Amino acid sequence: MKKTILSTFLLLFFSCLFAQDAVNYQMPPKVIADLLLAPPTPSISVGSKAEWLLLCERNSYPSVEELARPEYRIAGLRINPGNFAPSRQTFINNFSLKNIKSNNVFQVTGLPSPLYAGNISWSPSETKIAFINTSRNRVDLYIIDVAAHTATRINKQPLNIVLSSGISWIDDNTLIYRTVIKDASEAPARPPVPQGPAIQQNLGKAAPSRTYQDLIKNPYDEQLFEFYATSQLVQNKNGIETKIGDPAMYSSVTLSPDKNYLLIRTLQKPFSYLVTAYGFSSVVSIADINGKTVKTLARLPSAESKPSGYDNVQNIPRSFDWRDDEPATITWCQPLDSGLIKQKVPFHDVVYALSAPFTGPPKELFKTTTRYRGTQWGNASLALVEEGLQSKQTYTVSRYNPSTGKLETLYEGNTTDAYHDPGEPVKTKNQFGRYVILTLDNNTKLLMNNTTGASPKGDLPFLAKFDLKTKKNTILWRCAEGYYEYVSEVIDPKKLVLLTRKESQTEVPNYYIKALSSRAAGKPITDFANPYPQLAGVTRQKISYKRTDSVDLTGNLYLPKGYSKEKDGPLPTLIWAYPREFHSAADAAQVRGSKYRFTTISWASPIFWVTQGYAVLDNAEMPIVAKDNKKPNDTFVEQLRLNAEAAINKLSELGVGDKNRMAIGGHSYGAFMTANLLAHTSLFKAGIARSGAYNRTLTPFGFQNEDRTYWEAPQLYYEMSPFSYADKIKTPLLLIHGDADDNPGTFPINSERLFNAIKGNGGIVRFVFLPYEAHSYRGKENLLHMLWEQNEWLEKYVKNAK
């Protein structure tokens, strides 16, 4: 007996002694590493004439060394101090052009080496393509001559893309962009000793704000932000740069349809310590093409004063934009309810317009009964106006006649009701080169493109005609069962010639040109190969099952190559999910996704483990449904349990999942779900939680779709926080978090404190802190190590569980 007690003591002693593992980067099994590092298929960009195809190749992932390069984290931005650009971008690493008619492919020459490209923009005639290239010490603007297949740098001054990488074509030889005004070496130096403490105060005004990260914290941050955010607008005509106006902190700059005016928003001091740069005080104005101010539209305060709660807005003008179907008309909206949606008023927003020369009073266009969301312009007699309520998950789309001022509802519904989504109107270029709503049959019908096409049979995208009089959709084309195919572009709306992207379980996604007048399958214009031969033979099916309260659920089930239920029996299983809130049980029960899609894989995917002998249930539906006139989250934990039990029971019933060897995992809100399931159930052998928020009091002004504050619902915040029940988490939990998480709410301290709480209460837990990673992980070495950690955890606590 004494010997047993001594052995137990030594085991516990050494377990505690080595609880902090300092390990070098590890490699997962080779097949997992190969899947992660497989070069992705190129993305494409096609001109509206569908004459040329730009193929854009990307490398898989940057190295940790690249992530470790210096960056400033200020005002909600991450800035590379050496080149006046965001420090975390995804780049294109090669361009080639394909002539769609001849099928010939040409490598673009003259590209910088190495190429770190982005922000592709076709010229008005589509004979040129602009792109931005980001090097270590500067950002440059290149133009590709499509016919010659050559790229040429056109800027002299380096570009400043800290606040926006936007470039605007005036004509085929003239562009507008922003440049730096000082060299990076002139950035303010950090004072060796602060001149005093950083002080914030509030003098009685309510200033609820989301829990943003990387905010300004002191006067030195203010100096850095002003230095890097200040830029000079320039016009480049045939390689000659001309300044437009004076240097400023340009938050946004958009060109009027007739190319004679600029809508400009500039940031102003004092800078906020509570909101990001895009919520700073600002001035909205109209300038002529030379930069001279024509009209100041608004001086807007900081977003600090925005009231909490979804659908509440500041009591100020918002949504400034050009009207696409007129030469130079600005539109904007203003609340009629002081910004508070609960006010009992007949209309909540009003929309105004002001046309060049901007000297008269603004004209009222229309009012909305809920919160205005935007307008898609068509012509003098047609525009589509969207309004809705996020808190109730509702939307309304109305037809607005600019000539008569009449506003008429066309369709409305729930944002969560995918089955009845009519699609988005197809657009065409007008005389100004702006995309406006396309009309057919003498302005009586719209062409509607639904790239999802949700249905009880799964996603089957469609193209339809919408009759503006009967308010009904007539489907012209729908994806055939057995495939997942959607319309990427309508090349010729009269002849209905389409560019589509088509795939199946065995066919790699590729692009086709097809005419609906022909029954032919269409002409393939790409021939991308399978980047994941390791997944050949893996089976995928969409499974359906019910909760005990009769809510229908689905998930994507993957089974290993060569798996036989009779021979291999039930498998260790990984369930991966992300909860969503619904106000309707019918909407929650809708089938989402398609069982006919080709299996692709990203760093975040759980599908890797189908190669290791696991059954994988990906996108397992985890709906949180409003019940008995309550809000969805009022029964959050109870519904998580119902969802998880239903999935486990179905997998067991099918004979493919071992009920005693189940793991649950998720990222972000899925990690929050995972920790809650382990705190409140004993359904699983292990959990994997990546970059989650586990203590809801750290997001006191709301989170996800919860708009009640902590002070309005303190018990809810407590009960939804797995941290509150850390003493109950005895199932092994692997916590992973990026130490540079930039997502509002998911501060790294969440994982640190949950680890300490579980450890302090004697649970089994491991915490992996990935260096330099934000909310979405990118570093190659970090990703490989993350996959190794997850694999080791699953092998130890699930597959080989005792």
Short mmCIF file of all heavy atoms in Angstrom, two decimals, residues 347-392:
data_model
loop_
_atom_site.label_atom_id
_atom_site.label_comp_id
_atom_site.label_asym_id
_atom_site.label_seq_id
_atom_site.Cartn_x
_atom_site.Cartn_y
_atom_site.Cartn_z
N PHE A 347 -41.22 55.73 -39.21
CA PHE A 347 -40.05 55.48 -40.06
C PHE A 347 -38.78 55.65 -39.21
O PHE A 347 -38.71 56.53 -38.36
CB PHE A 347 -40.01 56.46 -41.23
CG PHE A 347 -41.21 56.35 -42.14
CD1 PHE A 347 -42.26 57.24 -42.03
CD2 PHE A 347 -41.28 55.35 -43.08
CE1 PHE A 347 -43.38 57.14 -42.84
CE2 PHE A 347 -42.39 55.24 -43.92
CZ PHE A 347 -43.44 56.13 -43.80
N HIS A 348 -37.81 54.79 -39.47
CA HIS A 348 -36.58 54.83 -38.67
C HIS A 348 -35.42 55.53 -39.39
O HIS A 348 -34.51 56.02 -38.72
CB HIS A 348 -36.17 53.41 -38.28
CG HIS A 348 -37.04 52.83 -37.20
ND1 HIS A 348 -36.82 53.04 -35.87
CD2 HIS A 348 -38.16 52.08 -37.28
CE1 HIS A 348 -37.75 52.42 -35.15
NE2 HIS A 348 -38.59 51.84 -35.99
N ASP A 349 -35.43 55.55 -40.72
CA ASP A 349 -34.35 56.21 -41.46
C ASP A 349 -34.94 56.98 -42.63
O ASP A 349 -36.00 56.62 -43.17
CB ASP A 349 -33.34 55.18 -42.01
CG ASP A 349 -32.36 54.70 -40.95
OD1 ASP A 349 -32.08 55.46 -40.00
OD2 ASP A 349 -31.88 53.55 -41.06
N VAL A 350 -34.21 58.01 -43.04
CA VAL A 350 -34.57 58.76 -44.23
C VAL A 350 -33.32 58.87 -45.11
O VAL A 350 -32.20 59.02 -44.60
CB VAL A 350 -35.12 60.17 -43.88
CG1 VAL A 350 -34.10 60.98 -43.08
CG2 VAL A 350 -35.52 60.92 -45.15
N VAL A 351 -33.51 58.78 -46.42
CA VAL A 351 -32.40 58.83 -47.37
C VAL A 351 -32.51 60.12 -48.19
O VAL A 351 -33.59 60.45 -48.71
CB VAL A 351 -32.39 57.60 -48.29
CG1 VAL A 351 -31.30 57.72 -49.36
CG2 VAL A 351 -32.17 56.33 -47.47
N TYR A 352 -31.37 60.82 -48.29
CA TYR A 352 -31.29 62.08 -49.02
C TYR A 352 -30.35 61.95 -50.22
O TYR A 352 -29.53 61.03 -50.29
CB TYR A 352 -30.76 63.19 -48.11
CG TYR A 352 -31.65 63.54 -46.94
CD1 TYR A 352 -31.34 63.10 -45.65
CD2 TYR A 352 -32.78 64.34 -47.11
CE1 TYR A 352 -32.14 63.44 -44.56
CE2 TYR A 352 -33.58 64.68 -46.03
CZ TYR A 352 -33.26 64.22 -44.77
OH TYR A 352 -34.05 64.56 -43.71
N ALA A 353 -30.47 62.92 -51.13
CA ALA A 353 -29.57 63.00 -52.27
C ALA A 353 -29.21 64.46 -52.52
O ALA A 353 -29.99 65.38 -52.22
CB ALA A 353 -30.21 62.40 -53.52
N LEU A 354 -28.01 64.66 -53.07
CA LEU A 354 -27.54 66.00 -53.45
C LEU A 354 -26.73 65.86 -54.72
O LEU A 354 -25.76 65.10 -54.77
CB LEU A 354 -26.69 66.61 -52.33
CG LEU A 354 -26.21 68.04 -52.55
CD1 LEU A 354 -27.39 69.02 -52.62
CD2 LEU A 354 -25.25 68.46 -51.43
N SER A 355 -27.13 66.60 -55.76
CA SER A 355 -26.49 66.49 -57.07
C SER A 355 -25.57 67.67 -57.33
O SER A 355 -25.72 68.75 -56.74
CB SER A 355 -27.55 66.40 -58.17
OG SER A 355 -28.37 65.27 -58.00
N ALA A 356 -24.59 67.45 -58.23
CA ALA A 356 -23.69 68.52 -58.65
C ALA A 356 -24.52 69.68 -59.21
O ALA A 356 -25.55 69.45 -59.86
CB ALA A 356 -22.72 68.00 -59.69
N PRO A 357 -24.14 70.92 -58.93
CA PRO A 357 -22.87 71.38 -58.31
C PRO A 357 -22.90 71.44 -56.78
O PRO A 357 -22.06 72.09 -56.18
CB PRO A 357 -22.70 72.79 -58.90
CG PRO A 357 -24.12 73.27 -59.07
CD PRO A 357 -24.92 72.07 -59.45
N PHE A 358 -23.86 70.78 -56.15
CA PHE A 358 -23.91 70.62 -54.68
C PHE A 358 -24.13 71.94 -53.94
O PHE A 358 -23.65 72.12 -52.83
CB PHE A 358 -22.61 69.95 -54.18
CG PHE A 358 -22.20 68.75 -54.98
CD1 PHE A 358 -21.09 68.79 -55.82
CD2 PHE A 358 -22.94 67.58 -54.91
CE1 PHE A 358 -20.73 67.68 -56.57
CE2 PHE A 358 -22.57 66.46 -55.66
CZ PHE A 358 -21.47 66.51 -56.50
N THR A 359 -24.89 72.82 -54.56
CA THR A 359 -25.13 74.12 -53.94
C THR A 359 -26.52 74.23 -53.32
O THR A 359 -26.75 75.06 -52.43
CB THR A 359 -24.97 75.24 -54.98
OG1 THR A 359 -25.79 74.95 -56.11
CG2 THR A 359 -23.52 75.36 -55.42
N GLY A 360 -27.46 73.41 -53.76
CA GLY A 360 -28.82 73.49 -53.25
C GLY A 360 -29.02 72.64 -52.01
O GLY A 360 -28.09 72.00 -51.50
N PRO A 361 -30.25 72.65 -51.51
CA PRO A 361 -30.55 71.80 -50.34
C PRO A 361 -30.66 70.34 -50.76
O PRO A 361 -30.98 70.03 -51.91
CB PRO A 361 -31.91 72.34 -49.87
CG PRO A 361 -32.55 72.87 -51.12
CD PRO A 361 -31.42 73.43 -51.96
N PRO A 362 -30.41 69.42 -49.85
CA PRO A 362 -30.56 68.00 -50.18
C PRO A 362 -32.02 67.64 -50.44
O PRO A 362 -32.94 68.27 -49.89
CB PRO A 362 -30.02 67.27 -48.94
CG PRO A 362 -30.09 68.26 -47.85
CD PRO A 362 -29.92 69.61 -48.48
N LYS A 363 -32.24 66.65 -51.28
CA LYS A 363 -33.59 66.20 -51.64
C LYS A 363 -33.89 64.90 -50.91
O LYS A 363 -33.08 63.97 -50.92
CB LYS A 363 -33.66 65.98 -53.15
CG LYS A 363 -34.99 65.39 -53.63
CD LYS A 363 -34.92 65.06 -55.12
CE LYS A 363 -36.21 64.37 -55.58
NZ LYS A 363 -36.14 64.00 -57.02
N GLU A 364 -35.04 64.83 -50.27
CA GLU A 364 -35.45 63.59 -49.63
C GLU A 364 -35.90 62.59 -50.70
O GLU A 364 -36.75 62.91 -51.54
CB GLU A 364 -36.58 63.84 -48.64
CG GLU A 364 -37.05 62.56 -47.94
CD GLU A 364 -38.21 62.79 -47.00
OE1 GLU A 364 -38.16 63.76 -46.20
OE2 GLU A 364 -39.18 62.01 -47.08
N LEU A 365 -35.34 61.39 -50.66
CA LEU A 365 -35.72 60.36 -51.62
C LEU A 365 -36.81 59.45 -51.08
O LEU A 365 -37.83 59.25 -51.70
CB LEU A 365 -34.49 59.53 -52.02
CG LEU A 365 -33.34 60.27 -52.69
CD1 LEU A 365 -32.26 59.29 -53.12
CD2 LEU A 365 -33.82 61.08 -53.89
N PHE A 366 -36.57 58.85 -49.91
CA PHE A 366 -37.56 57.93 -49.33
C PHE A 366 -37.22 57.69 -47.86
O PHE A 366 -36.15 58.06 -47.39
CB PHE A 366 -37.57 56.59 -50.08
CG PHE A 366 -36.22 55.94 -50.21
CD1 PHE A 366 -35.69 55.17 -49.18
CD2 PHE A 366 -35.46 56.10 -51.37
CE1 PHE A 366 -34.45 54.57 -49.29
CE2 PHE A 366 -34.21 55.51 -51.49
CZ PHE A 366 -33.70 54.75 -50.45
N LYS A 367 -38.18 57.07 -47.17
CA LYS A 367 -37.99 56.69 -45.77
C LYS A 367 -38.16 55.18 -45.64
O LYS A 367 -38.87 54.56 -46.43
CB LYS A 367 -39.01 57.41 -44.87
CG LYS A 367 -38.86 58.92 -44.85
CD LYS A 367 -40.01 59.56 -44.08
CE LYS A 367 -39.89 61.09 -44.10
NZ LYS A 367 -41.06 61.72 -43.45
N THR A 368 -37.50 54.60 -44.62
CA THR A 368 -37.61 53.16 -44.40
C THR A 368 -38.23 52.89 -43.03
O THR A 368 -37.98 53.61 -42.06
CB THR A 368 -36.24 52.48 -44.49
OG1 THR A 368 -35.36 53.03 -43.49
CG2 THR A 368 -35.62 52.67 -45.86
N THR A 369 -39.02 51.81 -42.97
CA THR A 369 -39.72 51.49 -41.72
C THR A 369 -38.81 50.76 -40.73
O THR A 369 -39.14 50.67 -39.55
CB THR A 369 -40.96 50.63 -41.99
OG1 THR A 369 -40.55 49.45 -42.71
CG2 THR A 369 -41.97 51.40 -42.83
N THR A 370 -37.69 50.20 -41.22
CA THR A 370 -36.69 49.60 -40.33
C THR A 370 -35.36 50.27 -40.62
O THR A 370 -35.32 51.40 -41.09
CB THR A 370 -36.64 48.07 -40.49
OG1 THR A 370 -36.40 47.74 -41.87
CG2 THR A 370 -37.94 47.43 -40.06
N ARG A 371 -34.24 49.59 -40.37
CA ARG A 371 -32.94 50.22 -40.53
C ARG A 371 -32.44 50.09 -41.97
O ARG A 371 -32.37 48.99 -42.52
CB ARG A 371 -31.94 49.58 -39.55
CG ARG A 371 -30.67 50.37 -39.37
CD ARG A 371 -30.93 51.77 -38.83
NE ARG A 371 -31.18 51.83 -37.39
CZ ARG A 371 -31.87 52.81 -36.80
NH1 ARG A 371 -32.40 53.79 -37.52
NH2 ARG A 371 -32.05 52.80 -35.49
N TYR A 372 -32.13 51.21 -42.58
CA TYR A 372 -31.65 51.26 -43.97
C TYR A 372 -30.31 50.56 -44.11
O TYR A 372 -29.41 50.74 -43.30
CB TYR A 372 -31.52 52.72 -44.41
CG TYR A 372 -30.90 52.93 -45.76
CD1 TYR A 372 -31.59 52.62 -46.93
CD2 TYR A 372 -29.61 53.46 -45.88
CE1 TYR A 372 -31.03 52.83 -48.18
CE2 TYR A 372 -29.05 53.68 -47.12
CZ TYR A 372 -29.74 53.36 -48.27
OH TYR A 372 -29.19 53.57 -49.50
N ARG A 373 -30.19 49.73 -45.17
CA ARG A 373 -28.95 48.97 -45.39
C ARG A 373 -28.24 49.30 -46.69
O ARG A 373 -27.09 48.93 -46.86
CB ARG A 373 -29.25 47.47 -45.34
CG ARG A 373 -29.58 46.96 -43.94
CD ARG A 373 -29.88 45.49 -43.93
NE ARG A 373 -30.07 44.98 -42.58
CZ ARG A 373 -30.54 43.78 -42.28
NH1 ARG A 373 -30.87 42.95 -43.26
NH2 ARG A 373 -30.67 43.39 -41.02
N GLY A 374 -28.92 49.96 -47.62
CA GLY A 374 -28.23 50.32 -48.84
C GLY A 374 -29.14 50.26 -50.06
O GLY A 374 -30.24 49.70 -50.02
N THR A 375 -28.65 50.84 -51.16
CA THR A 375 -29.40 50.89 -52.41
C THR A 375 -28.55 50.39 -53.56
O THR A 375 -27.37 50.75 -53.68
CB THR A 375 -29.86 52.33 -52.73
OG1 THR A 375 -30.67 52.81 -51.64
CG2 THR A 375 -30.67 52.39 -54.01
N GLN A 376 -29.16 49.53 -54.40
CA GLN A 376 -28.54 49.14 -55.66
C GLN A 376 -29.27 49.88 -56.76
O GLN A 376 -30.49 49.75 -56.92
CB GLN A 376 -28.67 47.62 -55.88
CG GLN A 376 -27.98 46.80 -54.81
CD GLN A 376 -28.14 45.30 -55.05
OE1 GLN A 376 -27.54 44.75 -55.97
NE2 GLN A 376 -28.95 44.65 -54.23
N TRP A 377 -28.50 50.67 -57.53
CA TRP A 377 -29.11 51.55 -58.52
C TRP A 377 -29.21 50.87 -59.87
O TRP A 377 -28.38 50.04 -60.24
CB TRP A 377 -28.31 52.84 -58.63
CG TRP A 377 -28.30 53.62 -57.35
CD1 TRP A 377 -27.34 53.63 -56.40
CD2 TRP A 377 -29.36 54.45 -56.86
NE1 TRP A 377 -27.71 54.42 -55.33
CE2 TRP A 377 -28.95 54.94 -55.58
CE3 TRP A 377 -30.61 54.83 -57.34
CZ2 TRP A 377 -29.75 55.78 -54.82
CZ3 TRP A 377 -31.40 55.68 -56.58
CH2 TRP A 377 -30.96 56.15 -55.34
N GLY A 378 -30.27 51.23 -60.62
CA GLY A 378 -30.47 50.67 -61.95
C GLY A 378 -30.53 51.74 -63.01
O GLY A 378 -29.58 52.00 -63.72
N ASN A 379 -31.68 52.42 -63.06
CA ASN A 379 -31.88 53.47 -64.06
C ASN A 379 -32.84 54.51 -63.49
O ASN A 379 -33.13 54.50 -62.29
CB ASN A 379 -32.38 52.89 -65.38
CG ASN A 379 -33.61 52.00 -65.17
OD1 ASN A 379 -34.54 52.37 -64.44
ND2 ASN A 379 -33.62 50.83 -65.81
N ALA A 380 -33.35 55.36 -64.35
CA ALA A 380 -34.19 56.47 -63.89
C ALA A 380 -35.50 56.01 -63.26
O ALA A 380 -36.18 56.79 -62.58
CB ALA A 380 -34.48 57.43 -65.04
N SER A 381 -35.88 54.75 -63.47
CA SER A 381 -37.14 54.28 -62.91
C SER A 381 -36.98 53.06 -62.00
O SER A 381 -37.98 52.50 -61.56
CB SER A 381 -38.12 53.93 -64.05
OG SER A 381 -37.61 52.86 -64.83
N LEU A 382 -35.74 52.67 -61.73
CA LEU A 382 -35.55 51.46 -60.93
C LEU A 382 -34.32 51.53 -60.04
O LEU A 382 -33.21 51.83 -60.49
CB LEU A 382 -35.42 50.23 -61.85
CG LEU A 382 -35.09 48.92 -61.14
CD1 LEU A 382 -36.28 48.45 -60.31
CD2 LEU A 382 -34.66 47.85 -62.11
N ALA A 383 -34.54 51.23 -58.77
CA ALA A 383 -33.46 50.96 -57.82
C ALA A 383 -34.02 49.97 -56.80
O ALA A 383 -35.24 49.88 -56.60
CB ALA A 383 -33.00 52.25 -57.13
N LEU A 384 -33.14 49.20 -56.16
CA LEU A 384 -33.56 48.26 -55.12
C LEU A 384 -33.02 48.74 -53.79
O LEU A 384 -31.82 48.97 -53.63
CB LEU A 384 -33.05 46.85 -55.42
CG LEU A 384 -33.61 46.18 -56.67
CD1 LEU A 384 -33.08 44.75 -56.79
CD2 LEU A 384 -35.13 46.17 -56.68
N VAL A 385 -33.92 48.91 -52.82
CA VAL A 385 -33.58 49.41 -51.49
C VAL A 385 -33.71 48.28 -50.49
O VAL A 385 -34.74 47.59 -50.45
CB VAL A 385 -34.52 50.57 -51.09
CG1 VAL A 385 -34.23 51.02 -49.67
CG2 VAL A 385 -34.39 51.72 -52.07
N GLU A 386 -32.66 48.07 -49.70
CA GLU A 386 -32.72 47.04 -48.67
C GLU A 386 -32.75 47.68 -47.29
O GLU A 386 -32.01 48.62 -47.00
CB GLU A 386 -31.54 46.08 -48.76
CG GLU A 386 -31.64 44.95 -47.73
CD GLU A 386 -30.58 43.88 -47.87
OE1 GLU A 386 -29.79 43.94 -48.83
OE2 GLU A 386 -30.53 42.98 -47.00
N GLU A 387 -33.60 47.14 -46.44
CA GLU A 387 -33.66 47.54 -45.04
C GLU A 387 -33.87 46.28 -44.21
O GLU A 387 -34.18 45.21 -44.75
CB GLU A 387 -34.80 48.53 -44.80
CG GLU A 387 -36.17 47.99 -45.20
CD GLU A 387 -37.28 49.00 -44.98
OE1 GLU A 387 -37.60 49.25 -43.80
OE2 GLU A 387 -37.82 49.52 -45.98
N GLY A 388 -33.69 46.38 -42.89
CA GLY A 388 -33.90 45.20 -42.07
C GLY A 388 -33.52 45.42 -40.62
O GLY A 388 -33.15 46.53 -40.21
N LEU A 389 -33.61 44.34 -39.86
CA LEU A 389 -33.26 44.35 -38.44
C LEU A 389 -32.38 43.15 -38.13
O LEU A 389 -32.81 42.00 -38.28
CB LEU A 389 -34.53 44.31 -37.57
CG LEU A 389 -35.46 45.51 -37.65
CD1 LEU A 389 -36.73 45.24 -36.85
CD2 LEU A 389 -34.77 46.77 -37.16
N GLN A 390 -31.16 43.42 -37.72
CA GLN A 390 -30.26 42.34 -37.36
C GLN A 390 -30.76 41.59 -36.14
O GLN A 390 -30.65 40.37 -36.04
CB GLN A 390 -28.85 42.87 -37.11
CG GLN A 390 -27.84 41.77 -36.81
CD GLN A 390 -26.44 42.32 -36.57
OE1 GLN A 390 -26.17 43.48 -36.84
NE2 GLN A 390 -25.55 41.48 -36.07
N SER A 391 -31.34 42.33 -35.20
CA SER A 391 -31.80 41.71 -33.96
C SER A 391 -32.91 40.70 -34.19
O SER A 391 -33.06 39.75 -33.42
CB SER A 391 -32.28 42.79 -32.99
OG SER A 391 -33.32 43.56 -33.57
N LYS A 392 -33.69 40.90 -35.25
CA LYS A 392 -34.78 39.96 -35.56
C LYS A 392 -34.49 39.11 -36.78
O LYS A 392 -35.35 38.32 -37.21
CB LYS A 392 -36.09 40.74 -35.75
CG LYS A 392 -36.56 41.44 -34.48
CD LYS A 392 -37.92 42.10 -34.67
CE LYS A 392 -38.41 42.73 -33.37
NZ LYS A 392 -39.72 43.40 -33.53
#
